[in-house]
Amino acid sequence: MDLATIIGLVLAMAAILGGQALEGGSIESIMQPTAALIVLGGTFGACLVSFPLRAAIKSFKAVAKVFQESRLDNREVISEIIRYANKARKEGIISLEAEVQNASDPFLRKALTMAVDGVEPKILRETMEMEIGNLEEEGEHPIKFWEAAGGYSPTIGILGAVLGLIHVMENLSDPSKLGSGIAVAFVATVYGVGLANLVYLPFSAKLKLKLKADMLVKEIIFIGVISILEGENPRLIEDKLKSFVQDKAEGAEDKASGREQRAA
Amino acid sequence: MDLATIIGLVLAMAAILGGQALEGGSIESIMQPTAALIVLGGTFGACLVSFPLRAAIKSFKAVAKVFQESRLDNREVISEIIRYANKARKEGIISLEAEVQNASDPFLRKALTMAVDGVEPKILRETMEMEIGNLEEEGEHPIKFWEAAGGYSPTIGILGAVLGLIHVMENLSDPSKLGSGIAVAFVATVYGVGLANLVYLPFSAKLKLKLKADMLVKEIIFIGVISILEGENPRLIEDKLKSFVQDKAEGAEDKASGREQRAA
Amino acid sequence: MDLATIIGLVLAMAAILGGQALEGGSIESIMQPTAALIVLGGTFGACLVSFPLRAAIKSFKAVAKVFQESRLDNREVISEIIRYANKARKEGIISLEAEVQNASDPFLRKALTMAVDGVEPKILRETMEMEIGNLEEEGEHPIKFWEAAGGYSPTIGILGAVLGLIHVMENLSDPSKLGSGIAVAFVATVYGVGLANLVYLPFSAKLKLKLKADMLVKEIIFIGVISILEGENPRLIEDKLKSFVQDKAEGAEDKASGREQRAA
Amino acid sequence: MDLATIIGLVLAMAAILGGQALEGGSIESIMQPTAALIVLGGTFGACLVSFPLRAAIKSFKAVAKVFQESRLDNREVISEIIRYANKARKEGIISLEAEVQNASDPFLRKALTMAVDGVEPKILRETMEMEIGNLEEEGEHPIKFWEAAGGYSPTIGILGAVLGLIHVMENLSDPSKLGSGIAVAFVATVYGVGLANLVYLPFSAKLKLKLKADMLVKEIIFIGVISILEGENPRLIEDKLKSFVQDKAEGAEDKASGREQRAA
Amino acid sequence: MDLATIIGLVLAMAAILGGQALEGGSIESIMQPTAALIVLGGTFGACLVSFPLRAAIKSFKAVAKVFQESRLDNREVISEIIRYANKARKEGIISLEAEVQNASDPFLRKALTMAVDGVEPKILRETMEMEIGNLEEEGEHPIKFWEAAGGYSPTIGILGAVLGLIHVMENLSDPSKLGSGIAVAFVATVYGVGLANLVYLPFSAKLKLKLKADMLVKEIIFIGVISILEGENPRLIEDKLKSFVQDKAEGAEDKASGREQRAA
């Protein structure tokens, strides 16, 4: 569970609906199915015209990711790589053939299989880079989809409001309905702006950070497997890969002091 | 048929017109030929001043592409390249002379013809890169045209609304017409914002993704023909080119397991 | 004559003024010299503070370019270069000395003169690159000037409208003038938004595309003269330069089939 | 204490609240806890959905930095590096082992420890570059967080205003409450726009400049330690590092004249 | 005196105040010290939070530059460099020692002093590049400061207007004051939008162009001094540096014809 997503959504909804209630406004007054129909239909219609069907479906599936905990600690994948590095160093890279099938990450499995198969380092490097590029591009689709939704939604909301206002203006002769008509029209704006700023754009932002974390793992694997293939000292590989996992600020201190102890 | 485009347009129109009907607004009230004249004339006038006539015509033609299915599977063009690679490997590159005329893609045909003609690899590479650059630039014209239309349209819509409001304000003495006058004025905004967000900008976005897919095919051909010319092993060429066509996420697994089986 | 510019301006004016007339609004009601004074004075005042006087004057002169036909066919300049290449190949580069004075393009004349003078290829290349950079930068001034005008104009229009509204608000006691006062105020918005979206920004966009076409000619000359100086085969030079002039999409086919015939 | 931050906040608050008071408006009329609830809850809710919890917490902690004096003078760290360089030159780099523990900057300590440990220059360089990259990325989180808050806040403010207006419109029948209802609604806009432009965006901008200054120190350390490891002349190292600390404009003169005196 | 700045400011003020007068509005009605207090205090408060005090002070000092004539002709500095180049060629670089103190530009003085001091070309190049980078970064502070002011100002203006409207709305019971209250509120918008578009943003734009011109001089000096140090032919140095000073378009012709005459 990505706590921040849950807390954020609850906080925003509570603040807005709570504020609405405190002001004495009823929740029903902002529950307008017609406005929802216009805003949601218009926004996702525009998104479908903008993206291929496959990307749209994937983008809805990617919403699950927004709620899942990111793997922030890459130590495990590094330990795994170092284990392979040690074995490859002692018994030759071919000795990894059996273990490779149980590699924890499909990208790691693929890279090691190619290494075991005796693919040339140059080709392996190119293929892995292309693969990382592909994975990154794939991962950007949902980010762009929700960003586009966040761009279309407020304007569709305004469109809905203007349509409502046109309706109101045509019936000015009955001023008693003026106010409630305008109120209904404004709800479309609330939906359009609210969904964009509380859901679509934040989802896109979170997916972007999660993609970055995912890509970091692939980069660790990339550097690790290339180093194994080039027969580097496992100790050095570990040092190199650990630069990626420090708990940053504090970590810089810890690592330094760790080394100091080692040096002492 | 690009299903997403059709579904998207139908969904958006149904949601907006349906919402309008549910609210009790008549469709006629948002059918204002004058507003359409101002918004469409102003938008495409601005676009014509911005672009050369030839680019504008091409951009209207490119709308057909928005409705056509993209070729997402590049396996066929790869098989074709591998077939040429095999033949060139066995019988020499000159043996491709007859077949080249039936190449499925004009860019592939051109590149192979140059290779068969004995053009130096360096020159071939440069010419192909320039050609890809040209094709990409050409393909970007409609994308930029519809993006520009999407930028001008809402402001022209507001211009139309302000013109309508000026008209209304000058006749304030007759308040009975006030409401309907404002309503008419607002329709220009609906057209300007609606066309931009449901048609122009989404068209531009979809054309961008389709251009990217088209350019990927050219890149596959580029790498393939260069590899043939350099006499690379067809098996290696296939491996290299297949990195471009995996069904991504799932594909990464499939390919890895495929290789595992091969390695076993 | 750049037809698109003329058609675009006529179309936009006809649509907006025609729409205005169809709605029963008089043209005079949107003819407000005071509003024009505020919007034009404010916009070009801001532009003059933003740019040097020389760049501003050049930007006004560059408007003529927006109405001139672009040279889209670069075949002539290529033929000219190939003629020089053939002569240089047969009689030595020094033989171009007489002809150079009649070169059709000042940049071509300069480059050839340097080549005939025996300037080293490295220096020639650097000087030409710097010259192309300078020409491009110079050409970007009017683009940026009109883009800036397109940015200032709508806000100055709003400024004018707010000033008008302030005036109206101070005289609320006389409600009979309220409507016409607001109408007058809104005209400033019409001018600001209209000029930006129908004139300034489209002018900037067209100038950008024309600069790109101009720079392409310079690049053709650059590559051509360097190739002559390096004594390349005129046939190869022609092949290389022709990549720049194909009628793109169709051209790719034509060129390929042309080569096929040659190869046959 | 970062004086500019304090003066800026006081100046802005004094100007706005003072202006409000001068106009005869009461401070209480813009103190609306409900509006604050909606705007703050909505903004930080959206931010929490956009960022991981850890980044959000760090961003709030980083606010302290906005109020702290930046270290603008890097002379001390340079003196320290030069002291190490001199010692390393005379007694060998291993002689730094004892001193390193007291290095003033954790990044400097870590880099020197690695140097003393005999890590290869290439590895040291890569590790330090990666570390600098990590520190920079970490430092960008709060910048992006407050920038995002500055983006969400005004739209949430408008959302709150529209919600308030809906409430007002529904109770049009009681016109006596109309004005005060609209006033309350507008306070949400004041909060949203004010917090974004006086707090969130300026905080983000200041953090950006402070990060840049911090990164400059790391770069000085990076160049210094690499130079020590490569055994460069401490005098040259000093010259190189001092380019980073000149009091710019004036400094350029001072340094030049300083050298002139030396040269004389 | 930078004529364009003066003409621009006078033109804009004359157009806006003149338009205001023509419309029958009094100048006093847009003179609201309270609105000025809110807009200026809020804007510069936000700027002070965003920038260090030192950068803010420098940005105000840089306003003088907006009114000063730019040095557009770099011929003098080139003549000076060529004079040094000739002397260094004939009598050795050490002979420049005496003259260097009178160099017209502090950056030129510094670079020559280092060259005379016998600093290695590599170090000299690095130091000069770093120095140019520093000068450019320093010069960008005022550009960014005024750009930020241009970004904050309109929103602070809207903030002031909304505060004024809140005040008006609370006193709806007295409709006679409604109009003038709204008028006063709108003045804040006029100040915010006007200052941003007629002063802050144009100042930032002009400073940017002036910085670019200043940096060009530094680049000429950089290339010149490096060429002197490498003992290049003064004639060639002149040719190289003159590419920077042509009166562009026309200059291209002139230079070409000049060379033709030389070649003849």
Side-chain angles (χ1 to χ4, degrees):
Chain A
M1 287 282 284
D2 184 317
L3 261 184
T5 302
I6 310 286
I7 299 175
L9 284 175
V10 170
L11 173 59
M13 292 314 292
I16 288 168
L17 296 183
Q20 172 76 352
L22 284 176
E23 283 296 312
S26 64
I27 301 293
E28 295 99 70
S29 71
I30 55 169
M31 290 295 168
Q32 304 282 352
T34 319
L37 175 69
I38 291 177
V39 171
L40 290 174
T43 302
F44 290 110
C47 284
L48 276 172
V49 182
S50 303
F51 289 86
L53 201 53
R54 191 172 141 274
I57 293 169
K58 249 185 55 187
S59 302
F60 275 96
K61 283 188 189 156
V63 169
K65 266 196 160 178
V66 177
F67 291 91
Q68 282 160 13
E69 187 65 60
S70 292
R71 179 167 51 156
L72 276 169
D73 187 351
N74 298 317
R75 283 174 223 270
E76 276 175 43
V77 87
I78 294 180
S79 315
E80 193 180 346
I81 293 169
I82 300 308
R83 215 172 56 232
Y84 296 140
N86 277 316
K87 185 155 192 201
R89 182 115 169 155
K90 284 184 215 134
E91 312 170 27
I93 201 163
I94 214 77
S95 71
L96 296 178
E97 193 162 354
E99 302 203 30
V100 144
Q101 322 254 9
N102 307 316
S104 64
D105 182 292
F107 179 71
L108 173 57
R109 191 156 64 236
K110 175 172 181 195
L112 280 174
T113 310
M114 286 181 77
V116 167
D117 276 12
V119 173
E120 274 179 78
K122 194 174 147 276
I123 301 286
L124 178 57
R125 187 187 288 271
E126 277 177 16
T127 310
M128 287 176 82
E129 278 173 356
M130 209 172 274
E131 197 86 29
I132 288 181
N134 284 341
L135 287 171
E136 190 159 13
E137 212 183 298
E138 278 291 295
E140 277 170 1
H141 276 162
I143 297 171
K144 286 184 185 160
F145 183 90
W146 291 108
E147 201 184 1
Y152 292 132
S153 185
T155 42
I156 305 290
I158 287 167
L159 195 75
V162 175
L163 283 174
L165 289 177
I166 288 173
H167 187 50
V168 170
M169 290 298 159
E170 283 176 325
N171 301 292
L172 266 192
S173 48
D174 183 358
S176 68
K177 289 183 180 164
L178 185 65
S180 71
I182 294 178
V184 171
F186 280 0
V187 171
T189 307
V190 172
Y191 287 177
V193 171
L195 285 169
N197 285 283
L198 302 175
V199 180
Y200 307 152
L201 294 175
F203 276 18
S204 176
K206 179 134 305 168
L207 285 171
K208 199 172 191 175
L209 289 171
K210 285 186 191 271
L211 178 64
K212 217 168 167 182
D214 282 356
M215 285 302 111
L216 190 66
V217 183
K218 308 302 175 201
E219 211 187 326
I220 290 173
I221 293 173
F222 175 71
I223 295 180
V225 173
I226 294 288
S227 304
I228 292 178
L229 198 60
E230 290 176 344
E232 271 185 33
N233 185 332
R235 181 65 183 276
L236 271 184
I237 300 178
E238 193 171 3
D239 269 20
K240 227 196 291 183
L241 298 185
K242 285 232 168 125
S243 311
F244 286 105
V245 273
Q246 49 182 309
D247 343 35
K248 313 295 155 86
E250 312 83 348
E253 310 264 330
D254 293 354
K255 275 179 79 181
S257 60
R259 279 174 202 262
E260 276 158 31
Q261 289 160 11
R262 227 192 307 136
Chain B
M1 287 281 284
D2 185 316
L3 261 184
T5 303
I6 310 288
I7 299 176
L9 283 175
V10 169
L11 173 59
M13 292 313 293
I16 288 168
L17 296 183
Q20 172 76 354
L22 282 176
E23 284 295 313
S26 64
I27 302 293
E28 294 100 69
S29 72
I30 55 169
M31 290 295 167
Q32 304 282 354
T34 317
L37 175 69
I38 292 177
V39 171
L40 291 174
T43 302
F44 290 110
C47 284
L48 276 171
V49 181
S50 303
F51 290 86
L53 201 53
R54 191 172 142 275
I57 293 169
K58 248 186 55 187
S59 302
F60 275 96
K61 283 189 188 156
V63 169
K65 267 197 161 177
V66 177
F67 291 91
Q68 283 161 13
E69 187 65 60
S70 292
R71 179 168 51 156
L72 277 170
D73 187 352
N74 298 318
R75 283 175 224 271
E76 277 175 44
V77 86
I78 294 180
S79 313
E80 193 181 345
I81 294 170
I82 301 306
R83 216 173 55 234
Y84 296 139
N86 278 315
K87 187 156 189 199
R89 182 111 167 157
K90 285 185 215 134
E91 313 170 27
I93 202 164
I94 213 78
S95 70
L96 296 178
E97 193 162 356
E99 301 202 31
V100 144
Q101 322 253 9
N102 308 315
S104 64
D105 183 292
F107 179 70
L108 173 56
R109 191 156 64 237
K110 174 171 183 195
L112 281 175
T113 310
M114 286 181 78
V116 167
D117 276 12
V119 173
E120 275 179 79
K122 194 174 147 275
I123 301 285
L124 179 57
R125 188 187 287 271
E126 277 177 14
T127 311
M128 287 177 81
E129 277 173 356
M130 209 172 273
E131 196 88 27
I132 288 181
N134 284 341
L135 287 171
E136 191 159 11
E137 211 183 298
E138 279 291 295
E140 277 170 1
H141 276 163
I143 297 171
K144 287 185 183 159
F145 183 90
W146 291 108
E147 202 184 0
Y152 292 132
S153 186
T155 41
I156 304 290
I158 287 168
L159 195 75
V162 175
L163 283 174
L165 289 177
I166 289 173
H167 187 51
V168 170
M169 288 298 160
E170 283 175 325
N171 300 293
L172 266 192
S173 48
D174 183 358
S176 69
K177 289 185 182 163
L178 183 66
S180 70
I182 294 179
V184 170
F186 280 0
V187 171
T189 307
V190 172
Y191 286 178
V193 171
L195 285 169
N197 284 283
L198 301 176
V199 179
Y200 306 152
L201 294 175
F203 276 19
S204 176
K206 179 134 304 167
L207 285 171
K208 199 172 191 175
L209 289 171
K210 286 185 190 274
L211 177 64
K212 216 168 166 183
D214 282 357
M215 285 302 111
L216 190 66
V217 182
K218 308 302 175 200
E219 210 187 327
I220 290 174
I221 293 173
F222 175 72
I223 294 181
V225 173
I226 294 289
S227 303
I228 292 177
L229 198 59
E230 290 177 345
E232 269 185 35
N233 185 331
R235 182 67 183 274
L236 271 184
I237 300 179
E238 193 171 3
D239 270 21
K240 226 196 292 181
L241 298 185
K242 285 233 167 123
S243 311
F244 286 106
V245 273
Q246 50 182 310
D247 343 36
K248 314 291 155 88
E250 312 84 348
E253 309 263 330
D254 294 353
K255 276 180 79 179
S257 60
R259 278 174 203 261
E260 277 157 30
Q261 288 160 12
R262 226 192 310 137
Chain C
M1 287 281 283
D2 185 317
L3 262 183
T5 302
I6 310 288
I7 298 176
L9 284 175
V10 170
L11 173 59
M13 292 313 293
I16 288 168
L17 296 183
Q20 171 77 353
L22 283 175
E23 283 295 312
S26 64
I27 302 295
E28 295 99 69
S29 71
I30 54 170
M31 291 295 168
Q32 303 282 354
T34 319
L37 174 69
I38 292 176
V39 172
L40 290 173
T43 302
F44 290 110
C47 284
L48 276 171
V49 182
S50 303
F51 290 87
L53 201 53
R54 191 172 142 276
I57 293 169
K58 247 185 55 186
S59 303
F60 275 97
K61 283 188 188 157
V63 169
K65 267 196 159 179
V66 177
F67 291 91
Q68 283 161 11
E69 188 65 61
S70 291
R71 180 168 50 156
L72 277 169
D73 188 353
N74 298 317
R75 283 174 224 271
E76 276 176 43
V77 86
I78 293 180
S79 313
E80 192 179 348
I81 293 169
I82 301 305
R83 217 174 52 236
Y84 297 138
N86 277 316
K87 186 155 190 199
R89 182 109 167 158
K90 283 185 216 132
E91 312 171 27
I93 202 165
I94 213 78
S95 70
L96 295 177
E97 192 162 357
E99 301 202 30
V100 144
Q101 322 253 10
N102 307 316
S104 64
D105 184 291
F107 179 69
L108 174 56
R109 191 157 63 238
K110 174 171 183 195
L112 280 174
T113 309
M114 286 181 77
V116 168
D117 276 12
V119 173
E120 273 179 79
K122 195 175 146 276
I123 302 285
L124 178 57
R125 188 188 288 271
E126 276 177 15
T127 310
M128 288 176 80
E129 277 172 358
M130 208 172 271
E131 196 87 27
I132 287 180
N134 283 341
L135 286 171
E136 190 159 11
E137 211 182 297
E138 278 292 294
E140 277 169 2
H141 275 162
I143 297 171
K144 287 185 183 159
F145 183 90
W146 291 108
E147 201 184 359
Y152 292 131
S153 186
T155 40
I156 305 290
I158 287 167
L159 195 75
V162 175
L163 284 173
L165 289 177
I166 289 172
H167 187 51
V168 170
M169 288 299 160
E170 283 175 325
N171 301 292
L172 266 192
S173 49
D174 182 359
S176 68
K177 289 185 180 161
L178 182 65
S180 70
I182 294 178
V184 170
F186 281 1
V187 170
T189 308
V190 171
Y191 287 178
V193 172
L195 285 169
N197 284 281
L198 302 176
V199 179
Y200 306 151
L201 294 175
F203 276 19
S204 176
K206 178 130 311 163
L207 284 171
K208 200 173 190 174
L209 289 171
K210 285 185 191 274
L211 177 64
K212 216 169 166 183
D214 282 357
M215 285 303 111
L216 190 65
V217 182
K218 308 302 175 203
E219 209 187 327
I220 289 173
I221 292 173
F222 175 70
I223 295 180
V225 173
I226 294 287
S227 303
I228 292 178
L229 198 60
E230 289 176 345
E232 268 186 37
N233 185 330
R235 181 66 182 274
L236 271 184
I237 301 178
E238 193 171 5
D239 270 19
K240 226 195 294 181
L241 298 185
K242 284 234 167 122
S243 309
F244 286 105
V245 272
Q246 50 182 310
D247 342 36
K248 314 294 154 86
E250 311 85 349
E253 309 263 331
D254 295 354
K255 275 179 80 177
S257 61
R259 279 174 202 261
E260 277 156 32
Q261 287 160 13
R262 226 192 309 138
Chain D
M1 286 283 283
D2 184 317
L3 261 184
T5 302
I6 310 287
I7 300 176
L9 283 175
V10 170
L11 172 59
M13 292 314 292
I16 289 168
L17 296 183
Q20 171 76 353
L22 283 175
E23 284 295 313
S26 65
I27 301 294
E28 295 100 70
S29 71
I30 54 170
M31 291 295 169
Q32 304 281 353
T34 319
L37 175 69
I38 292 176
V39 171
L40 290 174
T43 301
F44 290 111
C47 284
L48 276 172
V49 182
S50 303
F51 290 87
L53 201 53
R54 190 171 141 276
I57 293 168
K58 248 186 54 187
S59 303
F60 275 96
K61 283 188 188 155
V63 169
K65 267 196 159 177
V66 177
F67 291 91
Q68 282 160 12
E69 188 65 61
S70 291
R71 178 168 52 156
L72 277 169
D73 188 352
N74 299 317
R75 282 173 223 270
E76 276 175 44
V77 87
I78 294 180
S79 315
E80 191 180 348
I81 294 170
I82 301 306
R83 213 173 56 235
Y84 296 140
N86 278 317
K87 184 155 192 201
R89 183 113 170 156
K90 283 182 216 136
E91 313 171 27
I93 202 163
I94 213 77
S95 70
L96 296 177
E97 193 162 354
E99 302 203 29
V100 144
Q101 322 253 10
N102 307 318
S104 64
D105 182 292
F107 179 70
L108 173 57
R109 191 158 65 237
K110 174 171 181 195
L112 281 174
T113 309
M114 286 181 78
V116 168
D117 276 11
V119 173
E120 275 179 78
K122 193 173 146 278
I123 301 284
L124 178 57
R125 187 186 288 271
E126 276 176 18
T127 310
M128 287 175 82
E129 277 172 358
M130 209 171 274
E131 197 86 28
I132 287 181
N134 284 340
L135 287 171
E136 190 160 13
E137 211 183 297
E138 278 292 294
E140 277 169 2
H141 276 163
I143 297 171
K144 286 184 183 160
F145 183 91
W146 291 108
E147 201 184 359
Y152 292 132
S153 185
T155 41
I156 304 289
I158 287 167
L159 195 75
V162 175
L163 283 174
L165 289 177
I166 289 173
H167 187 51
V168 171
M169 290 298 160
E170 283 176 324
N171 301 294
L172 268 191
S173 48
D174 183 358
S176 68
K177 289 183 181 163
L178 184 65
S180 71
I182 294 179
V184 171
F186 280 1
V187 170
T189 307
V190 172
Y191 286 177
V193 172
L195 285 169
N197 284 282
L198 302 175
V199 180
Y200 306 152
L201 294 175
F203 276 19
S204 177
K206 179 133 305 167
L207 284 172
K208 200 172 189 175
L209 289 171
K210 285 186 190 272
L211 177 64
K212 217 168 164 182
D214 282 356
M215 285 303 111
L216 191 65
V217 183
K218 307 302 175 201
E219 211 186 326
I220 290 173
I221 292 173
F222 175 71
I223 295 181
V225 173
I226 293 288
S227 303
I228 292 177
L229 198 59
E230 289 176 346
E232 269 186 36
N233 185 330
R235 182 64 184 276
L236 271 184
I237 300 178
E238 192 171 5
D239 268 20
K240 228 197 292 184
L241 297 185
K242 285 233 168 125
S243 310
F244 286 106
V245 273
Q246 50 181 309
D247 344 35
K248 311 297 154 86
E250 311 84 346
E253 309 264 331
D254 295 353
K255 275 179 79 180
S257 60
R259 280 173 201 262
E260 276 158 33
Q261 289 161 11
R262 227 193 307 137
Chain E
M1 286 283 283
D2 184 316
L3 261 184
T5 302
I6 310 288
I7 299 175
L9 284 175
V10 170
L11 173 59
M13 292 315 292
I16 288 167
L17 296 183
Q20 172 76 354
L22 284 175
E23 284 295 312
S26 64
I27 302 295
E28 295 98 69
S29 72
I30 54 170
M31 292 295 170
Q32 304 281 353
T34 319
L37 174 70
I38 292 177
V39 172
L40 290 173
T43 302
F44 290 110
C47 285
L48 276 172
V49 182
S50 303
F51 290 87
L53 201 54
R54 192 173 139 275
I57 293 167
K58 247 186 54 186
S59 303
F60 276 96
K61 282 188 188 156
V63 169
K65 267 197 160 178
V66 177
F67 291 90
Q68 282 160 13
E69 188 66 61
S70 290
R71 179 168 51 156
L72 276 170
D73 188 352
N74 298 317
R75 281 174 224 272
E76 276 175 43
V77 86
I78 293 180
S79 315
E80 191 180 348
I81 293 170
I82 301 306
R83 213 172 56 235
Y84 296 139
N86 277 316
K87 185 154 192 201
R89 182 112 168 158
K90 283 184 216 134
E91 314 170 26
I93 202 164
I94 214 76
S95 70
L96 296 177
E97 193 162 356
E99 301 203 29
V100 144
Q101 322 254 11
N102 308 316
S104 63
D105 184 291
F107 179 70
L108 174 57
R109 190 157 65 237
K110 174 170 182 196
L112 281 174
T113 310
M114 286 181 77
V116 167
D117 275 11
V119 173
E120 274 179 79
K122 194 172 147 278
I123 301 285
L124 178 57
R125 187 187 289 271
E126 276 176 16
T127 310
M128 287 176 82
E129 278 172 357
M130 209 172 272
E131 196 87 27
I132 287 181
N134 284 341
L135 286 171
E136 190 159 12
E137 211 183 297
E138 277 293 294
E140 277 169 2
H141 275 163
I143 297 172
K144 287 185 183 160
F145 183 89
W146 291 108
E147 201 183 0
Y152 292 132
S153 184
T155 41
I156 305 290
I158 287 168
L159 196 75
V162 174
L163 284 174
L165 288 177
I166 289 172
H167 187 51
V168 171
M169 289 298 159
E170 283 176 324
N171 302 293
L172 267 192
S173 49
D174 182 358
S176 68
K177 288 184 180 162
L178 183 66
S180 70
I182 294 178
V184 170
F186 281 1
V187 170
T189 307
V190 171
Y191 287 176
V193 172
L195 285 169
N197 285 282
L198 302 175
V199 180
Y200 306 152
L201 294 176
F203 276 19
S204 176
K206 178 131 308 165
L207 284 172
K208 200 172 189 175
L209 289 171
K210 285 185 191 273
L211 177 64
K212 216 167 164 185
D214 282 356
M215 285 302 112
L216 191 65
V217 182
K218 306 303 175 202
E219 210 186 325
I220 289 173
I221 293 172
F222 175 70
I223 294 180
V225 173
I226 294 287
S227 303
I228 292 177
L229 198 60
E230 288 176 347
E232 269 186 37
N233 185 330
R235 182 66 182 274
L236 271 183
I237 300 178
E238 193 170 6
D239 270 18
K240 227 195 293 183
L241 298 185
K242 285 234 167 124
S243 310
F244 286 105
V245 273
Q246 50 182 309
D247 343 36
K248 312 296 153 87
E250 311 85 347
E253 310 262 331
D254 294 354
K255 274 179 81 180
S257 61
R259 278 174 204 262
E260 276 156 34
Q261 288 161 13
R262 227 195 304 137

